[in-house]
Amino acid sequence: EAGVTQSPTHLIKTRGQQATLRCSPISGHTSVYWYQQALGLGLQFLLWYDEGEERNRGNFPPRFSGRQFPNYSSELNVNALELEDSALYLCASSLKYTDTQYFGPGTRLTVL
Amino acid sequence: KNQVEQSPQSLIILEGKNCTLQCNYTVSPFSNLRWYKQDTGRGPVSLTIMTFSENTKSNGRYTATLDADTKQSSLHITASQLSDSASYICVVISSGGYNKLIFGAGTRLAVHP
């Protein structure tokens, strides 16, 4: 069974640009979660989607947004990139919101 | 304020030794607590999930405990191996409608030969 996949693996952008990160959950999982992990810091919860709707949002500015598609894959968009947005962005999926989350390998975003 | 605090921040042990990682939380209402292992540069992998009524749960050489009264959890690693070198993250899930996940900052464990 395929795990959670994320693309791209690495992404390099400059300040002010927009970044789009993609995530495909494990087949059958309807919940998708996004996390930011800056270097040396813990995981910070960004967004949670379930059944196509945003269910919960972490303490991040509105320029962090996303969506979940009918096939439950998800996209994270970061507008007006800032240097401090450089981090590993992890996506996780679960069968239901109470179930174990399975993480993807992450997308490393570097903002120059 | 919902918080999860982990200690120690980092730990170095010799291969074959045991160690215990701590997690204290102030999350309410409480749904469950999870321990994850994160290898450098990779996504976290679930080790255990503990609900309110569970005191101890084992997964191989990993044993997690939960004291819901004192709001403390521990992760005990027995006979450590070099491959145990990783960050261990405690996550507490708050109930009440849609859940909220509160992450600890993690404990970075280094196992030396």
Short mmCIF file of all heavy atoms in Angstrom, two decimals, chain A residues 35 37 42-43 48 55-56 90 97-101 103-105, chain B residues 34 36 38 41 43-44 46 49 89 97-101 103 105:
data_model
loop_
_atom_site.label_atom_id
_atom_site.label_comp_id
_atom_site.label_asym_id
_atom_site.label_seq_id
_atom_site.Cartn_x
_atom_site.Cartn_y
_atom_site.Cartn_z
N TYR A 35 1.73 20.50 8.32
CA TYR A 35 2.55 20.97 9.42
C TYR A 35 3.78 21.69 8.88
O TYR A 35 4.28 21.37 7.81
CB TYR A 35 3.03 19.81 10.29
CG TYR A 35 1.92 19.01 10.93
CD1 TYR A 35 1.38 17.91 10.30
CD2 TYR A 35 1.42 19.38 12.18
CE1 TYR A 35 0.34 17.19 10.88
CE2 TYR A 35 0.39 18.66 12.77
CZ TYR A 35 -0.14 17.56 12.11
OH TYR A 35 -1.15 16.86 12.70
N GLN A 37 7.71 22.55 9.97
CA GLN A 37 8.78 22.24 10.91
C GLN A 37 10.01 23.03 10.51
O GLN A 37 10.74 22.66 9.59
CB GLN A 37 9.09 20.75 10.93
CG GLN A 37 10.06 20.35 12.03
CD GLN A 37 10.24 18.85 12.12
OE1 GLN A 37 10.29 18.17 11.10
NE2 GLN A 37 10.34 18.32 13.33
N GLY A 42 10.01 22.31 16.77
CA GLY A 42 9.03 21.24 16.71
C GLY A 42 8.02 21.45 15.61
O GLY A 42 8.00 22.47 14.92
N LEU A 43 7.18 20.45 15.44
CA LEU A 43 6.12 20.54 14.45
C LEU A 43 5.09 21.59 14.85
O LEU A 43 4.64 21.63 15.98
CB LEU A 43 5.41 19.20 14.32
CG LEU A 43 6.13 18.12 13.53
CD1 LEU A 43 5.59 16.76 13.89
CD2 LEU A 43 5.95 18.37 12.05
N TRP A 48 -5.96 21.53 8.75
CA TRP A 48 -6.54 20.20 8.73
C TRP A 48 -7.75 20.23 7.81
O TRP A 48 -8.63 21.07 7.98
CB TRP A 48 -6.92 19.75 10.13
CG TRP A 48 -7.78 18.53 10.18
CD1 TRP A 48 -7.74 17.45 9.35
CD2 TRP A 48 -8.83 18.27 11.11
NE1 TRP A 48 -8.70 16.55 9.70
CE2 TRP A 48 -9.37 17.00 10.77
CE3 TRP A 48 -9.36 18.96 12.18
CZ2 TRP A 48 -10.41 16.43 11.50
CZ3 TRP A 48 -10.39 18.40 12.91
CH2 TRP A 48 -10.91 17.15 12.56
N ARG A 55 -11.17 22.09 8.57
CA ARG A 55 -11.76 21.80 9.88
C ARG A 55 -11.07 22.53 11.02
O ARG A 55 -11.67 22.82 12.04
CB ARG A 55 -11.68 20.29 10.17
CG ARG A 55 -12.37 19.42 9.17
CD ARG A 55 -13.86 19.65 9.12
NE ARG A 55 -14.53 18.67 8.28
CZ ARG A 55 -15.83 18.68 8.00
NH1 ARG A 55 -16.60 19.63 8.50
NH2 ARG A 55 -16.35 17.75 7.23
N ASN A 56 -9.80 22.80 10.84
CA ASN A 56 -9.06 23.43 11.92
C ASN A 56 -7.86 24.14 11.32
O ASN A 56 -7.35 23.75 10.27
CB ASN A 56 -8.61 22.39 12.95
CG ASN A 56 -8.30 23.03 14.29
OD1 ASN A 56 -8.39 24.24 14.45
ND2 ASN A 56 -7.90 22.21 15.24
N LEU A 90 5.34 19.19 6.26
CA LEU A 90 4.91 17.80 6.32
C LEU A 90 3.41 17.69 6.14
O LEU A 90 2.66 18.51 6.68
CB LEU A 90 5.31 17.18 7.65
CG LEU A 90 6.81 16.95 7.86
CD1 LEU A 90 7.12 16.77 9.32
CD2 LEU A 90 7.26 15.74 7.08
N TYR A 97 -10.63 11.55 11.86
CA TYR A 97 -9.86 12.52 12.63
C TYR A 97 -9.37 11.97 13.95
O TYR A 97 -8.50 12.52 14.58
CB TYR A 97 -10.65 13.81 12.84
CG TYR A 97 -11.82 13.73 13.79
CD1 TYR A 97 -11.65 13.92 15.15
CD2 TYR A 97 -13.09 13.48 13.32
CE1 TYR A 97 -12.72 13.86 16.02
CE2 TYR A 97 -14.17 13.41 14.18
CZ TYR A 97 -13.98 13.60 15.53
OH TYR A 97 -15.03 13.53 16.37
N THR A 98 -9.92 10.84 14.39
CA THR A 98 -9.47 10.25 15.63
C THR A 98 -8.35 9.23 15.44
O THR A 98 -7.81 8.72 16.40
CB THR A 98 -10.63 9.55 16.34
OG1 THR A 98 -11.20 8.59 15.44
CG2 THR A 98 -11.69 10.54 16.75
N ASP A 99 -8.05 8.91 14.21
CA ASP A 99 -7.11 7.84 13.93
C ASP A 99 -5.66 8.33 13.84
O ASP A 99 -5.39 9.51 13.77
CB ASP A 99 -7.48 7.14 12.63
CG ASP A 99 -8.72 6.27 12.79
OD1 ASP A 99 -9.12 6.03 13.93
OD2 ASP A 99 -9.28 5.85 11.77
N THR A 100 -4.78 7.36 13.82
CA THR A 100 -3.35 7.65 13.70
C THR A 100 -3.08 8.40 12.41
O THR A 100 -3.63 8.07 11.35
CB THR A 100 -2.55 6.35 13.71
OG1 THR A 100 -2.80 5.67 14.93
CG2 THR A 100 -1.06 6.62 13.56
N GLN A 101 -2.22 9.40 12.51
CA GLN A 101 -1.80 10.14 11.33
C GLN A 101 -0.54 9.49 10.76
O GLN A 101 0.39 9.16 11.50
CB GLN A 101 -1.51 11.59 11.68
CG GLN A 101 -2.74 12.34 12.12
CD GLN A 101 -2.44 13.78 12.42
OE1 GLN A 101 -1.46 14.33 11.95
NE2 GLN A 101 -3.30 14.40 13.19
N PHE A 103 2.53 10.16 8.16
CA PHE A 103 3.20 11.32 7.59
C PHE A 103 3.88 10.99 6.26
O PHE A 103 4.39 9.88 6.06
CB PHE A 103 4.25 11.88 8.55
CG PHE A 103 3.66 12.65 9.69
CD1 PHE A 103 3.14 12.00 10.80
CD2 PHE A 103 3.60 14.04 9.64
CE1 PHE A 103 2.59 12.72 11.85
CE2 PHE A 103 3.06 14.76 10.69
CZ PHE A 103 2.55 14.10 11.80
N GLY A 104 3.91 11.99 5.40
CA GLY A 104 4.68 11.91 4.17
C GLY A 104 6.13 12.32 4.43
O GLY A 104 6.48 12.70 5.55
N PRO A 105 6.97 12.27 3.42
CA PRO A 105 8.39 12.58 3.58
C PRO A 105 8.68 14.07 3.69
O PRO A 105 9.77 14.47 4.10
CB PRO A 105 9.02 12.00 2.31
CG PRO A 105 7.92 12.05 1.31
CD PRO A 105 6.64 11.81 2.07
N ARG B 34 -0.22 10.69 21.89
CA ARG B 34 0.54 9.88 20.94
C ARG B 34 2.02 10.21 21.02
O ARG B 34 2.40 11.35 21.24
CB ARG B 34 0.03 10.14 19.52
CG ARG B 34 -1.47 9.90 19.40
CD ARG B 34 -2.04 10.28 18.07
NE ARG B 34 -3.49 10.12 18.07
CZ ARG B 34 -4.26 10.24 17.00
NH1 ARG B 34 -3.73 10.52 15.83
NH2 ARG B 34 -5.57 10.08 17.09
N TYR B 36 5.46 9.94 18.73
CA TYR B 36 5.97 9.75 17.38
C TYR B 36 7.49 9.73 17.42
O TYR B 36 8.11 10.41 18.23
CB TYR B 36 5.53 10.89 16.45
CG TYR B 36 4.11 10.81 15.95
CD1 TYR B 36 3.06 11.34 16.70
CD2 TYR B 36 3.81 10.23 14.73
CE1 TYR B 36 1.76 11.28 16.24
CE2 TYR B 36 2.51 10.17 14.26
CZ TYR B 36 1.49 10.70 15.02
OH TYR B 36 0.20 10.64 14.55
N GLN B 38 10.70 10.61 14.95
CA GLN B 38 11.03 11.28 13.69
C GLN B 38 12.51 11.20 13.43
O GLN B 38 13.31 11.82 14.14
CB GLN B 38 10.58 12.75 13.69
CG GLN B 38 10.82 13.44 12.35
CD GLN B 38 10.33 14.86 12.31
OE1 GLN B 38 10.13 15.49 13.36
NE2 GLN B 38 10.12 15.39 11.12
N GLY B 41 15.17 14.46 8.81
CA GLY B 41 14.80 14.65 7.42
C GLY B 41 13.63 13.81 6.93
O GLY B 41 13.34 13.80 5.73
N GLY B 43 9.45 12.17 7.81
CA GLY B 43 8.22 12.43 8.53
C GLY B 43 8.13 11.58 9.79
O GLY B 43 8.71 10.51 9.88
N PRO B 44 7.39 12.05 10.79
CA PRO B 44 7.21 11.29 12.03
C PRO B 44 6.47 9.98 11.79
O PRO B 44 5.62 9.88 10.90
CB PRO B 44 6.39 12.22 12.91
CG PRO B 44 6.56 13.58 12.33
CD PRO B 44 6.72 13.35 10.85
N SER B 46 4.27 6.98 13.91
CA SER B 46 3.57 6.74 15.16
C SER B 46 4.15 5.56 15.91
O SER B 46 4.41 4.50 15.33
CB SER B 46 2.09 6.50 14.88
OG SER B 46 1.40 6.20 16.07
N ILE B 49 -0.46 5.07 20.72
CA ILE B 49 -1.60 5.95 20.97
C ILE B 49 -2.21 5.52 22.30
O ILE B 49 -2.45 4.33 22.51
CB ILE B 49 -2.67 5.83 19.87
CG1 ILE B 49 -2.11 6.21 18.51
CG2 ILE B 49 -3.86 6.73 20.19
CD1 ILE B 49 -3.10 6.00 17.39
N ILE B 89 8.48 12.78 19.63
CA ILE B 89 7.52 13.87 19.76
C ILE B 89 6.27 13.37 20.47
O ILE B 89 5.71 12.33 20.11
CB ILE B 89 7.14 14.42 18.38
CG1 ILE B 89 8.39 14.90 17.64
CG2 ILE B 89 6.14 15.57 18.52
CD1 ILE B 89 8.15 15.20 16.18
N GLY B 97 -15.82 18.43 20.00
CA GLY B 97 -15.99 18.82 18.61
C GLY B 97 -14.82 18.28 17.81
O GLY B 97 -14.29 17.22 18.10
N TYR B 98 -14.41 19.01 16.81
CA TYR B 98 -13.26 18.56 16.03
C TYR B 98 -11.99 18.69 16.85
O TYR B 98 -11.78 19.65 17.54
CB TYR B 98 -13.17 19.36 14.74
CG TYR B 98 -14.25 18.98 13.77
CD1 TYR B 98 -15.33 19.81 13.53
CD2 TYR B 98 -14.20 17.76 13.11
CE1 TYR B 98 -16.33 19.44 12.65
CE2 TYR B 98 -15.19 17.39 12.23
CZ TYR B 98 -16.25 18.24 12.01
OH TYR B 98 -17.24 17.88 11.13
N ASN B 99 -11.15 17.70 16.71
CA ASN B 99 -9.99 17.63 17.59
C ASN B 99 -8.97 18.70 17.27
O ASN B 99 -8.93 19.28 16.21
CB ASN B 99 -9.35 16.25 17.50
CG ASN B 99 -8.77 15.98 16.12
OD1 ASN B 99 -9.23 16.55 15.14
ND2 ASN B 99 -7.78 15.15 16.05
N LYS B 100 -8.16 18.98 18.28
CA LYS B 100 -7.03 19.89 18.12
C LYS B 100 -5.79 19.15 18.58
O LYS B 100 -5.79 18.49 19.60
CB LYS B 100 -7.24 21.15 18.96
CG LYS B 100 -8.37 22.03 18.48
CD LYS B 100 -8.42 23.34 19.26
CE LYS B 100 -9.52 24.23 18.72
NZ LYS B 100 -9.57 25.52 19.43
N LEU B 101 -4.75 19.27 17.80
CA LEU B 101 -3.49 18.60 18.11
C LEU B 101 -2.52 19.60 18.69
O LEU B 101 -2.30 20.66 18.12
CB LEU B 101 -2.89 17.98 16.87
CG LEU B 101 -3.65 16.81 16.24
CD1 LEU B 101 -4.73 17.32 15.30
CD2 LEU B 101 -2.70 15.89 15.51
N PHE B 103 1.37 19.80 19.86
CA PHE B 103 2.65 19.10 19.75
C PHE B 103 3.64 19.58 20.80
O PHE B 103 3.75 20.78 21.08
CB PHE B 103 3.27 19.34 18.38
CG PHE B 103 2.62 18.57 17.27
CD1 PHE B 103 1.43 19.00 16.72
CD2 PHE B 103 3.20 17.41 16.79
CE1 PHE B 103 0.83 18.29 15.69
CE2 PHE B 103 2.61 16.70 15.76
CZ PHE B 103 1.43 17.14 15.21
N ALA B 105 7.73 19.94 21.74
CA ALA B 105 8.88 20.34 20.93
C ALA B 105 9.78 19.16 20.61
O ALA B 105 10.66 19.25 19.74
CB ALA B 105 9.67 21.43 21.64
#
